[in-house]
Amino acid sequence: MNRVKRMPADQPAVRRSDILLSVIFAVLCSVYALPLVTILYNSFKDKEGIISRFFSLPNAENFVGFRNFQVGIEQIGIFKAAFYSLVITVLSVALILICTSMCAWYINRVESKFCRFFYYLCVFSMVVPFQMVMFTLSLVANKLGLTSPYTIPVVYLGFGAGLAVFMFSGFVKAIPVEVEEAATIDGCNPPQMFFQVVLPMMKPTYISVAILQTMWVWNDYLLPYLVLDKTKGFVTIPIAIQTAVKDSYGTVDTGVNMALLVLAILPVIAFYALCQKQIVKGVVAGAVKG
Amino acid sequence: MYRSLKKWFPLFLLPTALAFLVSFVVPFLYGIFFSFCEFQTLDRFTFVGLDNFKRVLFSGQYNFWQSLGFTALFTVLSVIIINVAAFLIAYALTRNVPGRNLYRTVFFMPNLIGGIVLGYVWRTVINYGVLIPLLGKDLTYSSTFGFIGLLFVLCWQQIGYMMIIYIAGLQSVPDSILEAAKIDGASGWQTMRRVTIPMVMPSITICLFLSITNSFKLYDQNLALTGGLPAVTDEQGITHRLTQMLALCISDTYGNSARAHGTAQAMAVVFFLLVAVISLTQLMLTRRKEVQQ
């Protein structure tokens, strides 16, 4: 592709129409952010305050401080869910990064019939909707005991393999073979070659894959819901939210629900603030699929 | 050296291949086989031939056609809105607009939040902020409310994602081509139609693919926003959930009765075939319009 970087010096001066656009976007973005902002300040109100005056800020009558958060943490156990979500996400993404990058390098260098077949199988798996395999997957996972937060990463590795192998393969194909040949002459064996020569070159792809997989695993609801053993209290944030808020018109305090939503959104916003550039790059890199 | 690499497959290939086998290949094959069976566990099943498929397609008992119609209409509308809005915003935000990075950040933000949480955020805002104070009714009152609500949630979430991809596409159009068009006397609209859009066709292909499959496979947002409600019961005593999309219909069928597991699996197979046909057709149609750079 023919990429032309626009240097700041090339940019024309700001025109009047652009200022007007900026004003329009400022209004548009305020409206865009409104749902999240309302949830945030409503989490400090009591139930009546939320229902009767949803769009107004907390006042002396309905302000309850952090009580909603306290109840949410104590009754719903959102911290425990957050802990399991974190364990599952970190283990799964680490496993996916290590295993699929090695796999992608191997199948692109060995190029046997089986490797080619495996590659196309991975691409095929990206088209298959989760509903097609979810019932039987939960039965298989149950049988193999993959139902705890420490074993479910194996399931995520299998499911994440499609996109990850595809993205890593795209990069591996672009590495000049001469580099690896030179390393062989210097006496590298394959593991040394991979970890000391190939892996450092693939760093940008690692970041992109990590971002995409993190967004997926952290927010995934259906897979952990079907696979995790709930009798042992294994829940993730989406499962905890779904159980707490489901059919809760009137039963669970609405204020507590607002607090739970805020607690679920905050870590994500923090993550976004920290690695915004990488996230945008990851999304663009992931969009080569299809 | 690649001959010496081959014997290292237990280290490089085996972990991924085993996990892939366990969590994709085996469930997929079982899934196809079980769509012709009644099953409870992996070893308790009875073969029933095409009964499951007949029940899904012809009995009218499982809300399949109702949810397919809902899903199809929803997909068409959401794909149009998402892509038109995302392209326009991307086009505007590749101009020299003051504060554009902040605006891009805001538009993209909802994508990081999961479907379940987003669904509840919007359920709260629509119910307590709009419907209950204005009409005294909530989202489950009519299927139109649920439909429009779902459109809001998904468009709000996906516009930012597609915007990012369109921005990358627009930025890869070389300035020299745009300048050449200008020198040749092309108007703004002509440049857009004859130069910019053909040049960003790869981005359009991807965005259409992603938005079509995301809309068609929508589950989390559907579950959280309406859960398929409202429900009506017809003369034969069959309950129809009016805002149930296909993915939710499959789960509900499976969950409602242990005797319908095979039927739910058959519905999932039909769903898979639909997704495959739709996405492959779309890829073929738009790939043809792509130009070489």
Side-chain angles (χ1 to χ4, degrees):
Chain A
M1 214 186 286
N2 205 346
R3 236 166 236 275
V4 177
K5 270 251 166 84
R6 277 165 207 199
M7 305 309 279
D10 293 346
Q11 273 177 3
V14 178
R15 282 180 297 186
R16 200 176 276 172
S17 60
D18 289 334
I19 305 256
L20 184 70
L21 264 181
S22 183
V23 174
I24 295 172
F25 271 114
V27 176
L28 206 59
C29 281
S30 313
V31 177
Y32 220 76
L34 197 64
L36 295 180
V37 176
T38 52
I39 296 293
L40 180 65
Y41 66 67
N42 271 301
S43 65
F44 295 101
K45 297 202 287 202
D46 66 7
K47 195 176 158 190
E48 277 68 42
I50 295 169
I51 294 174
S52 59
R53 291 172 166 194
F54 186 75
F55 285 111
S56 45
L57 290 169
N59 59 25
E61 246 169 73
N62 56 33
F63 181 73
V64 294
F66 284 95
R67 204 194 65 200
N68 290 333
F69 290 87
Q70 215 180 333
V71 176
I73 290 163
E74 281 164 10
Q75 283 184 3
I76 314 293
I78 194 80
F79 279 167
K80 201 178 76 180
F83 170 73
Y84 285 137
S85 275
L86 193 67
V87 167
I88 294 173
T89 309
V90 170
L91 289 182
S92 303
V93 174
L95 202 62
I96 290 173
L97 288 179
I98 298 170
C99 295
T100 60
S101 60
M102 293 171 78
C103 169
W105 184 64
Y106 181 90
I107 59 178
N108 279 286
R109 290 294 177 260
V110 170
E111 287 193 316
S112 63
K113 262 194 195 127
F114 177 76
C115 287
R116 226 164 292 148
F117 172 70
F118 185 71
Y119 176 76
Y120 285 116
L121 211 55
C122 282
V123 175
F124 170 73
S125 79
M126 288 195 281
V127 193
V128 178
F130 184 60
Q131 276 70 22
M132 173 66 204
V133 294
M134 65 183 184
F135 305 128
T136 44
L137 169 68
S138 69
L139 296 175
V140 171
N142 212 358
K143 196 153 212 182
L144 298 177
L146 300 173
T147 53
S148 90
Y150 308 99
T151 48
I152 203 177
V154 175
V155 179
Y156 273 111
L157 171 60
F159 259 91
L163 180 63
V165 167
F166 184 73
M167 285 178 70
F168 279 120
S169 291
F171 190 88
V172 167
K173 280 176 196 155
I175 300 176
V177 194
E178 288 79 11
V179 179
E180 294 174 22
E181 275 164 4
T184 318
I185 295 166
D186 291 344
C188 263
N189 64 18
Q192 282 173 332
M193 163 95 79
F194 181 80
F195 287 106
Q196 290 170 11
V197 180
V198 180
L199 192 147
M201 285 194 284
M202 288 208 282
K203 210 174 140 201
T205 316
Y206 274 101
I207 295 174
S208 298
V209 175
I211 294 282
L212 288 176
Q213 306 286 1
T214 305
M215 283 167 62
W216 165 52
V217 178
W218 178 266
N219 290 322
D220 198 16
Y221 164 73
L222 207 45
L223 196 158
Y225 177 76
L226 288 167
V227 171
L228 285 180
D229 187 351
K230 271 153 283 163
T231 58
K232 291 190 184 137
F234 298 141
V235 287
T236 61
I237 288 183
I239 298 175
I241 298 273
Q242 166 68 11
T243 348
V245 191
K246 184 177 70 177
D247 305 324
S248 65
Y249 292 97
T251 53
V252 176
D253 193 293
T254 317
V256 177
N257 288 341
M258 299 300 103
L260 288 177
L261 291 176
V262 170
L263 287 173
I265 293 169
L266 279 182
V268 170
I269 303 267
F271 175 63
Y272 187 35
L274 282 177
C275 8
Q276 200 198 336
K277 274 207 180 114
Q278 285 84 346
I279 290 174
V280 169
K281 266 188 212 149
V283 167
V284 173
V288 294
K289 99 174 193 187
Chain B
M1 69 148 278
Y2 296 128
R3 198 162 296 160
S4 73
L5 175 60
K6 208 166 181 181
K7 64 170 193 276
W8 286 90
F9 82 91
L11 178 65
F12 284 95
L13 185 61
L14 207 57
T16 310
L18 272 184
F20 189 69
L21 187 75
V22 165
S23 53
F24 179 76
V25 179
V26 171
F28 183 80
L29 296 177
Y30 259 121
I32 292 180
F33 176 61
F34 276 0
S35 64
F36 301 100
C37 298
E38 253 332 312
F39 69 97
Q40 279 77 43
T41 62
L42 289 181
D43 9 67
R44 278 181 56 203
F45 58 86
T46 38
F47 190 76
V48 295
L50 287 171
D51 280 8
N52 290 325
F53 288 95
K54 279 186 205 150
R55 243 179 270 163
V56 169
L57 298 175
F58 307 117
S59 77
Q61 229 178 24
Y62 293 97
N63 212 25
F64 174 76
W65 293 106
Q66 154 80 33
S67 54
L68 176 62
F70 187 91
T71 309
L73 185 64
F74 176 80
T75 304
V76 170
L77 280 180
S78 66
V79 166
I80 294 173
I81 299 173
I82 289 170
N83 283 285
V84 170
F87 187 85
L88 290 178
I89 294 174
Y91 190 70
L93 290 183
T94 41
R95 292 166 55 120
N96 200 15
V97 176
R100 63 179 182 185
N101 285 336
L102 176 69
Y103 300 145
R104 288 179 190 177
T105 307
V106 174
F107 282 120
F108 183 75
M109 194 169 53
N111 278 289
L112 294 157
I113 305 168
I116 293 283
V117 176
L118 280 186
Y120 282 120
V121 166
W122 275 90
R123 182 163 109 178
T124 311
V125 173
I126 296 176
N127 277 343
Y128 295 131
V130 185
L131 290 180
I132 294 177
L134 292 184
L135 303 169
K137 301 180 171 88
D138 71 13
L139 265 170
T140 57
Y141 174 75
S142 105
S143 61
T144 319
F145 289 175
F147 186 84
I148 296 172
L150 272 172
L151 268 184
F152 265 99
V153 181
L154 196 70
C155 293
W156 186 69
Q157 181 187 11
Q158 303 265 302
I159 283 173
Y161 198 92
M162 303 309 156
M163 174 200 76
I164 294 285
I165 299 173
Y166 280 129
I167 286 178
L170 286 166
Q171 281 173 340
S172 71
V173 178
D175 284 342
S176 54
I177 297 190
L178 296 175
E179 268 158 36
K182 208 175 186 180
I183 292 166
D184 290 344
S187 69
W189 173 242
Q190 279 172 325
T191 315
M192 171 63 102
R193 266 219 52 203
R194 306 278 175 207
V195 182
T196 311
I197 289 184
M199 291 298 280
V200 295
M201 210 56 207
S203 304
I204 297 178
T205 306
I206 295 301
C207 286
L208 281 179
F209 176 82
L210 289 175
S211 54
I212 289 173
T213 49
N214 285 341
S215 299
F216 203 80
K217 298 195 289 192
L218 197 69
Y219 177 84
D220 291 6
Q221 289 86 335
N222 191 199
L223 178 70
L225 196 76
T226 66
L229 297 174
V232 292
T233 310
D234 64 12
E235 315 85 71
Q236 290 145 349
I238 299 167
T239 306
H240 297 276
R241 296 188 165 194
L242 299 180
T243 61
Q244 194 179 43
M245 295 180 67
L246 272 176
L248 187 59
C249 184
I250 294 169
S251 302
D252 284 351
T253 305
Y254 190 85
N256 283 346
S257 137
R259 292 179 55 215
H261 286 183
T263 313
Q265 185 57 49
M267 208 184 281
V269 171
V270 176
F271 182 57
F272 158 60
L273 293 175
L274 282 171
V275 171
V277 168
I278 293 172
S279 34
L280 291 180
T281 316
Q282 179 266 323
L283 282 182
M284 263 161 44
L285 285 179
T286 45
R287 270 284 148 79
R288 214 182 291 161
K289 291 215 169 71
E290 283 178 22
V291 290
Q292 293 294 318
Q293 286 197 16

